[in-house]
């Protein structure tokens, strides 16, 4: 059962209303449509829960029932949260706006700038609070003009309110809601779509914090690509990394190249072993050759995926250090067949700086980008951000994604000052945010919502998941995992025992009841067929080339990059 949202409008559903309905449903809600022209004052006053009305619909109600003030008072119901959208330039909507806000907002005009500022209002704006960013809008944007009295601006554009609050009402200029099926180009920033997504999500979550999809347990991890487990790699010194952890708790996952499995130093291994969860390893390719996971030969890709795991297992046996079976693609290059290879080899998930495989179309639908992970390729792919992409990272956390950052050793050129500042800013996004290892981030990634009947619906993205009842009483959970069309034979296990489930249009669904504090380990995956042919061969020439490449890369990072005489001067980031 979904949380109900009442939509007041006039006439049939236009483009704006269709997009609005799609967004509400994407958030786990259900829309009840009411024709404002046919409503009585009593019906209006009896509304409860989330109510969204078009400015045209509110104006129609005012004409039918003695003026806007009557409507405003009817909507001022303690059990009702109201968003009014679709204000357009012109006298009628200016008068309506003035009446609804009692002069705080007086008219509507076109935006002249692309700089957005989100207010420090965490109770509404959540992880986006205080964010400022610039973007070119997908569609023309309208803004409000303030009156003489100060207003309660939630989002402003070009210095003027775009989303505002007036008493119990929330008001949105214009009616440009994001089209969830719109294509997003390969190099396009999601920030272009924030203004079409965030205002409605803010309203819904503020109106009913648990009734719509949300992430009650935001997790974070800082990924560093390439380093060996030696005292220093390029500009990265593990001892200084640990000093920062002692001052500012955070977690770092070293994206470890499996080819290096015999080269770890005992002192650094001990440093990792004593900081379980804070310092961890993930899988970074296999040999880390250029585009090694961007090919189309399934046998070769399965072989590389399998060899990478075998090398990580050898490293575990040699050092005692465990690892997260999460693939971090080298150079950000992967193919759809590589995703299938990871799945067949039993990986938990993949992490990359782009969700676009080399063999896929140039665009993906916006809805694919807004989920906790990208599932389009048949295997969960989590996206990560560089520290300079802080606005995009904040939007990720707002959407319910984990906060995954990435850097290389060059980031530590001036010590760990930049790291410490990055960790501080990320931790400030949400007081609930917890830093942990990459495997736990993926195992716990989900979005949840509470149904009107009191059941918690949990949508997970990985085949393995840890479910914990954080409530102080027994709780019933409905767990859903979307499955790809190629997944035919499925099995579900709870704490190692096979469990009953159903397969619906939404995916795998099962019901569990957990006592307060109880934990359940879930495994929901396809039944493995007999192993397909796998090519794990690599000739002596290939291995020689890999060895030369690895040592040249290390010489570059350890000596050329760190030498004041040999390294190139840094270019300005401006």
């Amino acid at each position: 059962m979904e949380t109900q949202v009442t939509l007041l409008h006039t006439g049939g559903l236009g483009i704006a209303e269709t997009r609005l309905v799609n967004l509400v449903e994407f958030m786990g809600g259900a829309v009840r449509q009411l024709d404002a022209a046919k409503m009585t004052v009593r019906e209006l006053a009896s509304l409860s829960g989330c109510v969204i009305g078009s400015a045209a619909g509110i104006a129609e109600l005012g004409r039918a029932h003695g003026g806007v003030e009557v409507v405003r008072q009817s909507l001022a119901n303690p059990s009702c949260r109201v968003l009014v959208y679709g204000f357009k330039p012109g006298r009628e909507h200016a008068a309506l706006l003035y009446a609804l806000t009692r002069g705080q907002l007086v008219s509507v005009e076109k935006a002249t700038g692309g700089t957005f500022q989100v207010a420090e209002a965490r109770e509404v704006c959540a992880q986006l609070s205080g964010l400022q960013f610039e973007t070119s809008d997908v569609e023309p944007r309208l803004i409000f003009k303030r009156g003489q009295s100060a207003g309660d601006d939630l989002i402003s554009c070009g210095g003027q309110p775009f989303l505002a609050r007036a008493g119990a009402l929330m008001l949105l200029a214009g009616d440009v809601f994001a089209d969830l099926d719109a294509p997003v180009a390969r190099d396009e920033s999601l920030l272009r779509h924030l203004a079409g997504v965030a205002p409605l999500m803010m309203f819904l979550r503020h109106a009913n914090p648990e009734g719509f999809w949300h992430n009650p347990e935001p997790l974070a991890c800082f990924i560093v690509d390439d380093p060996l487990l030696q005292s220093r790699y390029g500009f990265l010194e593990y001892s200084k990394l640990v000093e920062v952890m002692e001052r500012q708790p955070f977690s770092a996952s070293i994206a470890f190249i499996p080819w290096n499995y015999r080269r770890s130093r005992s002192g650094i291994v001990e440093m990792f072993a004593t900081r379980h969860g804070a310092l961890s390893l993930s899988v970074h390719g296999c040999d880390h050759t250029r585009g090694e996971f961007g090919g189309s030969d399934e046998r070769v890709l399965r072989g590389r995926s399998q060899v990478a795991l075998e090398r990580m297992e050898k490293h575990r046996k040699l050092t005692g250090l465990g690892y997260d079976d999460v693939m971090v693609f080298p150079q950000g290059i992967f193919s759809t067949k590589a995703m299938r290879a990871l799945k067949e080899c039993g990986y938990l998930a993949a992490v990359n700086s782009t969700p676009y495989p080399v063999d896929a179309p140039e665009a993906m639908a916006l809805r694919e980008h807004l989920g906790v992970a990208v599932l389009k390729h048949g295997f969960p792919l989590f996206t990560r951000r560089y520290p300079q992409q802080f606005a995009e990272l904040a939007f990720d956390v707002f959407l319910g994604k984990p906060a995954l950052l990435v850097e290389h050793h060059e980031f530590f050129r001036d010590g760990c000052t930049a790291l410490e500042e990055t960790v501080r800013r990320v931790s400030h996004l949400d007081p609930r945010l917890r830093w942990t290892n990459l495997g736990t981030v993926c195992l716990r990634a989900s979005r949840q919502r509470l149904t009107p009947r009191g059941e918690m619906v949990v949508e997970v993205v990985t085949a393995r998941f840890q479910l914990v009842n954080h409530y102080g009483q027994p709780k019933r959970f409905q767990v859903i995992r979307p499955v790809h069309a190629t997944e035919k034979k499925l099995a579900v296990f709870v704490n190692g025992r096979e469990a009953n489930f159903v397969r619906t249009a939404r995916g795998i669904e099962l019901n569990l009841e957990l006592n307060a504090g109880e934990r359940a380990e879930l495994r929901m995956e396809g039944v493995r067929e007999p192993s397909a042919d796998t090519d794990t061969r690599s000739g002596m020439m290939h291995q020689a080339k890999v060895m030369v490449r690895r040592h040249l890369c290390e010489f570059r990072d350890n000596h050329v990059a760190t030498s004041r005489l040999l390294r190139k001067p840094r270019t300005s980031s401006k």
Side-chain angles (χ1 to χ4, degrees):
M1 178 181 290
E2 295 84 10
T3 299
Q4 191 173 80
V5 175
T6 301
L7 174 61
L8 305 178
H9 66 99
T10 57
L13 294 187
I15 293 175
E17 284 72 31
T18 299
R19 292 180 178 181
L20 188 156
V21 170
N22 287 340
L23 279 166
V24 171
E25 291 175 348
F26 179 82
M27 287 293 292
V31 176
R32 178 181 65 149
Q33 301 176 35
L34 294 179
D35 189 337
K38 299 178 181 178
M39 292 188 67
T40 65
V41 173
R42 179 175 294 182
E43 289 173 331
L44 188 64
S46 67
L47 291 175
S48 62
C50 300
V51 177
I52 303 176
S54 67
I58 301 299
E60 180 66 31
L61 283 167
R63 285 191 292 269
H65 302 297
V68 175
E69 181 60 24
V70 175
V71 177
R72 191 189 67 80
Q73 291 180 3
S74 298
L75 292 175
N77 184 339
S79 63
C80 190
R81 297 281 186 174
V82 182
L83 169 69
V84 184
Y85 72 94
F87 292 91
K88 302 291 177 64
R91 291 183 178 180
E92 181 184 25
H93 281 193
L96 173 66
L97 189 61
Y98 188 94
L100 288 175
T101 66
R102 295 185 172 180
Q104 291 182 17
L105 303 173
V106 296
S107 63
V108 183
E109 57 190 36
K110 290 184 180 180
T112 57
T115 300
F116 283 86
Q117 176 70 52
V118 183
E120 288 280 3
R122 192 174 293 276
E123 75 281 5
V124 179
C125 303
Q127 298 90 350
L128 298 179
S129 295
L131 186 69
Q132 180 175 312
F133 63 96
E134 292 190 17
T135 180
S136 57
D137 269 335
V138 177
E139 301 181 57
R141 193 70 54 183
L142 295 175
I143 54 175
F144 297 120
K145 186 175 180 180
R146 295 190 193 94
Q148 292 185 352
S149 59
D152 189 0
D153 303 345
L154 296 173
I155 304 178
S156 61
C157 179
Q160 292 293 328
F162 163 63
L163 177 69
R165 186 167 47 177
L169 297 179
M170 202 174 290
L171 304 106
L172 176 65
D175 58 4
V176 180
F177 297 104
D179 178 3
L180 291 176
D181 297 313
V184 178
R186 185 178 291 267
D187 296 323
E188 182 179 338
S189 171
L190 277 188
L191 293 179
R192 292 191 68 200
H193 302 273
L194 187 150
V197 171
L200 181 59
M201 288 187 175
M202 287 178 181
F203 167 72
L204 294 176
R205 288 176 178 160
H206 180 59
N208 191 334
E210 290 198 308
F212 299 95
W213 289 126
H214 63 284
N215 180 4
E217 186 186 25
L219 301 176
C221 186
F222 195 110
I223 303 167
V224 185
D225 284 358
D226 302 341
L228 287 79
L229 298 196
Q230 298 179 2
S231 60
R232 181 178 70 86
Y233 184 86
F235 291 103
L236 172 65
E237 296 182 55
Y238 285 111
S239 59
K240 294 183 177 179
L241 195 68
V242 168
E243 288 176 7
V244 175
M245 286 181 173
E246 292 174 351
R247 294 192 298 269
Q248 180 78 49
F250 78 103
S251 63
S253 174
I254 302 303
F256 184 80
I257 301 171
W259 189 86
N260 292 321
Y261 73 94
R262 291 175 292 188
R263 307 175 66 202
S264 296
R265 300 289 175 84
S266 59
I268 305 303
V269 167
E270 179 64 22
M271 187 180 293
F272 273 67
T274 56
R275 291 168 177 82
H276 179 70
L279 283 173
S280 59
L281 302 179
S282 48
V283 188
H284 194 33
C286 183
D287 294 325
H288 200 286
T289 54
R290 179 72 182 177
E292 64 180 344
F293 282 92
S296 59
D297 190 322
E298 295 186 29
R299 294 173 63 251
V300 172
L301 292 167
R302 278 194 299 270
R304 288 172 182 164
S305 302
Q306 188 60 45
V307 169
L309 287 179
E310 291 171 357
R311 287 173 172 172
M312 296 302 291
E313 274 297 311
K314 290 177 181 177
H315 183 265
R316 183 184 63 79
K317 291 178 180 177
L318 288 170
T319 64
L321 283 183
Y323 64 94
D324 297 320
D325 54 348
V326 177
M327 173 61 74
V328 179
F329 288 117
Q331 304 101 26
I333 298 173
F334 73 101
S335 67
T336 53
K337 291 184 177 179
M339 296 292 279
R340 182 175 177 178
L342 297 181
K343 181 176 182 179
E344 291 178 353
C345 290
Y347 283 78
L348 175 63
V351 172
N352 205 43
S353 301
T354 172
Y356 290 95
V358 294
D359 57 345
E362 288 297 312
M364 291 195 315
L366 176 61
R367 68 171 68 245
E368 299 286 352
H369 292 266
L370 300 183
V372 175
V374 175
L375 304 177
K376 181 179 177 66
H377 314 308
F379 187 68
L381 176 69
F382 293 88
T383 51
R384 59 184 189 170
R385 308 290 184 182
Y386 285 91
Q388 61 266 32
Q389 296 175 298
F390 184 78
E392 286 90 340
L393 182 77
F395 192 27
D396 285 345
V397 180
F398 175 80
L399 291 169
K401 301 170 183 275
L404 297 180
L405 296 104
V406 57
E407 265 299 349
H408 296 75
H409 77 95
E410 295 95 335
F411 183 66
F412 304 92
R413 181 188 296 260
D414 299 319
C416 291
T417 303
L419 171 67
E420 201 158 2
E421 174 61 16
T422 298
V423 170
R424 185 195 65 77
R425 292 185 72 193
V426 174
S427 297
H428 183 70
L429 284 174
D430 193 319
R432 303 168 303 167
L433 187 139
R434 180 168 67 90
W435 294 84
T436 186
N437 60 298
L438 192 55
T440 299
V441 168
C442 298
L443 277 172
R444 302 293 293 274
S446 68
R447 58 179 190 170
Q448 303 182 12
R449 61 179 178 84
L450 189 67
T451 71
R453 294 176 180 173
E455 181 181 57
M456 184 62 74
V457 182
V458 183
E459 184 180 81
V460 307
V461 295
T462 54
R464 284 172 273 149
F465 182 73
Q466 293 178 347
L467 179 64
V468 181
N469 180 5
H470 291 294
Y471 294 85
Q473 58 188 8
K475 196 74 176 176
R476 185 174 176 82
F477 295 87
Q478 181 186 47
V479 181
I480 302 171
R481 182 177 81 84
V483 294
H484 198 262
T486 58
E487 295 184 77
K488 303 299 182 183
K489 298 181 179 180
L490 300 167
V492 175
F493 298 87
V494 178
N495 295 329
R497 296 182 178 180
E498 192 163 4
N500 294 324
F501 69 96
V502 295
R503 181 165 182 169
T504 69
R506 296 189 297 182
I508 293 175
E509 297 185 20
L510 69 150
N511 295 306
L512 296 171
E513 186 162 334
L514 300 181
N515 293 320
E518 188 177 0
R519 177 191 300 265
E521 302 287 339
L522 281 67
R523 189 157 51 90
M524 301 168 283
E525 58 190 26
V527 178
R528 292 197 182 185
E529 302 290 346
S531 298
D533 189 18
T534 298
D535 185 359
T536 59
R537 297 170 299 171
S538 57
M540 293 181 61
M541 182 62 71
H542 172 79
Q543 287 301 318
K545 289 180 178 179
V546 172
M547 182 174 67
V548 170
R549 177 185 173 88
R550 293 268 43 84
H551 286 289
L552 285 175
C553 289
E554 290 165 25
F555 181 81
R556 175 199 64 200
D557 294 342
N558 286 325
H559 302 289
V560 177
T562 59
S563 170
R564 294 183 177 180
L565 295 176
L566 297 177
R567 73 188 184 210
K568 294 181 180 179
R570 282 185 291 179
T571 56
S572 173
S573 59
K574 296 182 180 178

